[in-house]
Amino acid sequence: MESVITTTEPEASPASGDIRPSRPLTDIITSQVTLLASYLTPVMESDDAEAIHKMRVTTRRLQASLDLLQTAGDQKKIRKLKKKLRDWRRVLSPVRNYDVFLLVIEKEGASRSSKRRQSFEHLKSILQKRRARRLAKARRYLKHVNLAEICSKLGLDAELWAPKKSAVEADQSPAQETQTEGPHAQTAAPLPEIIGERAIALRAAERIEQRLSEFQLLAAQSHPTTNPAELHQLRIAAKRLRYLLELVSGMGYGDAVRALAWLRLLQDRIGDWHDLEAIEEEIISIVSRRKFLKENIGESSRMLQAASHLQSKKKTLVAKLFPVKVPRTLQASSRRLVRSLRRKPARPATNDPYNE
């Protein structure tokens, strides 16, 4: 749960005339796959909570990038690749939740009396055991992750696979190694040939309009009594819009500094609220078990008191969160980027059929 400093820095508008990406989508995707491979190693071999968090974020960013390559026919099976990334992220979600729970419990326990601190320590011990079980389950699933498949389908450099391969090489069967390093990996078309730059820009413009519309609808429907699951969907919608705007800005179509800062702030506030809601449910789940309650009646009472304290903090966050007032700059920035994306290049690229 990190703090966000909003900025009043003015947003730059793209210059008129020829709008060309400053960083090709090819380079962005290559960088994202490289990062994904680098995070997978510590996730599989250590208890690095930061690597788990960054791997999840990278799967979401890469998913947003691949989405711009998806055509109507989806000849390159981009939808299937996006689903794989979503599955990898979801298997790590419970582990990430426990990491957040433990941070909150540690922070709350440090400011309590010795007696109450013991309750937090007991809860911390239980959460650590649950985290360990979830991480073991996630690793069994991620052991079969095949980053080479993504590299092959997108025509990326096979070296991007190296960091992941070294982490779990001992667990791969000879058949799997053959599939990973075989001739099939050399037959994919290079990434720039999958879809033209013009088509990417038009796809991005369409997705910004769609993501903005989805987010605005959820924001308008949210209120203090909103179901936690629905509020979580609002946070996901904010993430999707934010990562898409960041991606388009990175490609050189314009900036959305203030809009991105606001989305990040909203995302963090909902995240803080959701974390406390989830911890509350976790504590109730623990103490409601008959065997645990029978053996730890006094401890259960103190754990519920801790949940009550967290609940009061949750109410304070609700006061800051609602009503969700979407700033005009978000819509203005999105529209400006959409115009930039749809503006025809001054000189059509001869190797881009979508510009003809």
Side-chain angles (χ1 to χ4, degrees), residues 1-2 38-58 89 92-104 106 128 131-132 135 139 142:
M1 298 184 289
E2 52 196 271
S38 69
Y39 295 140
L40 186 56
T41 298
V43 167
M44 296 297 292
E45 298 179 351
S46 72
D47 287 330
D48 190 346
E50 188 66 13
I52 291 173
H53 170 59
K54 288 183 176 180
M55 181 173 174
R56 294 186 69 251
V57 171
T58 304
R89 182 169 64 253
L92 286 173
S93 290
V95 185
R96 173 60 183 169
N97 287 344
Y98 282 118
D99 286 334
V100 174
F101 294 170
L102 289 167
L103 285 174
V104 174
E106 185 175 349
Q128 286 174 331
R131 179 193 186 275
L135 180 57
R139 283 172 174 167
L142 294 175

Side-chain angles (χ1 to χ4, degrees), residues 20-162:
R20 308 300 290 177
S22 61
R23 190 182 181 201
L25 186 59
T26 306
D27 293 351
I28 293 174
I29 291 178
T30 299
S31 175
Q32 289 168 339
V33 174
T34 303
L35 283 173
L36 192 59
S38 69
Y39 295 140
L40 186 56
T41 298
V43 167
M44 296 297 292
E45 298 179 351
S46 72
D47 287 330
D48 190 346
E50 188 66 13
I52 291 173
H53 170 59
K54 288 183 176 180
M55 181 173 174
R56 294 186 69 251
V57 171
T58 304
T59 61
R60 193 176 289 280
R61 292 185 186 278
L62 179 55
Q63 193 173 331
S65 297
L66 293 180
D67 185 62
L68 299 188
L69 298 178
Q70 188 173 328
T71 58
D74 196 19
Q75 294 87 349
K76 299 302 296 184
K77 308 296 183 184
I78 298 297
R79 186 187 301 275
K80 184 177 180 181
L81 292 180
K82 292 193 301 181
K83 183 180 183 302
K84 285 180 180 294
L85 293 170
R86 184 169 62 250
D87 291 343
W88 300 348
R89 182 169 64 253
R90 285 178 176 175
V91 79
L92 286 173
S93 290
V95 185
R96 173 60 183 169
N97 287 344
Y98 282 118
D99 286 334
V100 174
F101 294 170
L102 289 167
L103 285 174
V104 174
I105 294 301
E106 185 175 349
K107 181 180 178 180
E108 293 297 325
S111 59
R112 296 289 171 266
S113 63
S114 177
K115 189 173 183 179
R116 286 197 172 186
R117 194 179 301 123
Q118 291 178 359
S119 298
F120 280 101
E121 287 298 323
H122 190 188
L123 177 58
K124 181 178 177 180
S125 175
I126 294 172
L127 294 177
Q128 286 174 331
K129 291 178 182 177
R130 290 190 169 195
R131 179 193 186 275
R133 290 196 295 269
R134 284 290 190 171
L135 180 57
K137 181 179 179 180
R139 283 172 174 167
R140 287 195 295 271
Y141 182 89
L142 294 175
K143 182 173 65 175
H144 304 291
V145 162
N146 190 352
L147 287 180
E149 180 182 2
I150 292 181
C151 293
S152 173
K153 286 183 178 296
L154 300 179
L156 299 179
D157 188 346
E159 289 299 318
L160 299 178
W161 168 247

Side-chain angles (χ1 to χ4, degrees), residues 335-356:
R335 285 178 175 175
R336 185 170 56 252
L337 289 175
V338 167
R339 287 196 300 269
S340 237
L341 288 160
R342 287 181 172 155
R343 186 180 292 122
K344 291 185 178 180
R347 295 179 303 277
T350 56
N351 61 343
D352 188 349
Y354 293 92
N355 284 331
E356 294 177 357

Side-chain angles (χ1 to χ4, degrees), residues 244-257:
L244 179 56
L245 294 182
E246 287 178 346
L247 176 61
V248 171
S249 295
M251 292 166 61
Y253 287 97
D255 292 325
V257 178

Side-chain angles (χ1 to χ4, degrees), residues 39 68 79 102 118 153 157-158 182 188 196-198 208 211 262 289-290 300 302 323 328 346:
Y39 295 140
L68 299 188
R79 186 187 301 275
L102 289 167
Q118 291 178 359
K153 286 183 178 296
D157 188 346
E197 179 186 305
R198 178 68 179 151
I208 288 177
R211 297 300 189 199
W262 183 84
R289 290 181 298 159
R290 179 178 176 80
S300 296
R302 287 189 288 272
R328 293 181 180 179

Side-chain angles (χ1 to χ4, degrees), residues 106-275:
E106 185 175 349
K107 181 180 178 180
E108 293 297 325
S111 59
R112 296 289 171 266
S113 63
S114 177
K115 189 173 183 179
R116 286 197 172 186
R117 194 179 301 123
Q118 291 178 359
S119 298
F120 280 101
E121 287 298 323
H122 190 188
L123 177 58
K124 181 178 177 180
S125 175
I126 294 172
L127 294 177
Q128 286 174 331
K129 291 178 182 177
R130 290 190 169 195
R131 179 193 186 275
R133 290 196 295 269
R134 284 290 190 171
L135 180 57
K137 181 179 179 180
R139 283 172 174 167
R140 287 195 295 271
Y141 182 89
L142 294 175
K143 182 173 65 175
H144 304 291
V145 162
N146 190 352
L147 287 180
E149 180 182 2
I150 292 181
C151 293
S152 173
K153 286 183 178 296
L154 300 179
L156 299 179
D157 188 346
E159 289 299 318
L160 299 178
W161 168 247
K164 185 269 177 185
K165 181 182 175 184
S166 64
V168 295
E169 187 174 14
D171 294 319
Q172 285 190 324
S173 65
Q176 287 175 310
E177 291 181 358
T178 300
Q179 181 181 2
T180 299
E181 301 177 354
H184 174 71
Q186 306 299 323
T187 60
L191 186 56
E193 297 179 13
I194 294 177
I195 182 173
E197 179 186 305
R198 178 68 179 151
I200 290 175
L202 293 177
R203 169 77 171 179
E206 175 189 331
R207 296 304 267 173
I208 288 177
E209 291 178 330
Q210 179 184 346
R211 297 300 189 199
L212 178 63
S213 177
E214 292 171 351
F215 171 76
Q216 288 177 319
L217 178 61
L218 289 171
Q221 294 174 342
S222 63
H223 48 79
T225 58
T226 297
N227 184 289
E230 294 176 358
L231 195 57
H232 184 57
Q233 288 303 311
L234 175 61
R235 185 177 184 232
I236 292 176
K239 284 184 178 181
R240 287 173 175 169
L241 179 58
R242 174 190 151 208
Y243 290 148
L244 179 56
L245 294 182
E246 287 178 346
L247 176 61
V248 171
S249 295
M251 292 166 61
Y253 287 97
D255 292 325
V257 178
R258 285 177 291 171
L260 289 170
W262 183 84
L263 285 170
R264 178 66 179 270
L265 178 61
L266 177 70
Q267 177 187 323
D268 286 347
R269 282 183 174 175
I270 298 177
D272 291 347
W273 180 90
H274 186 268
D275 292 340

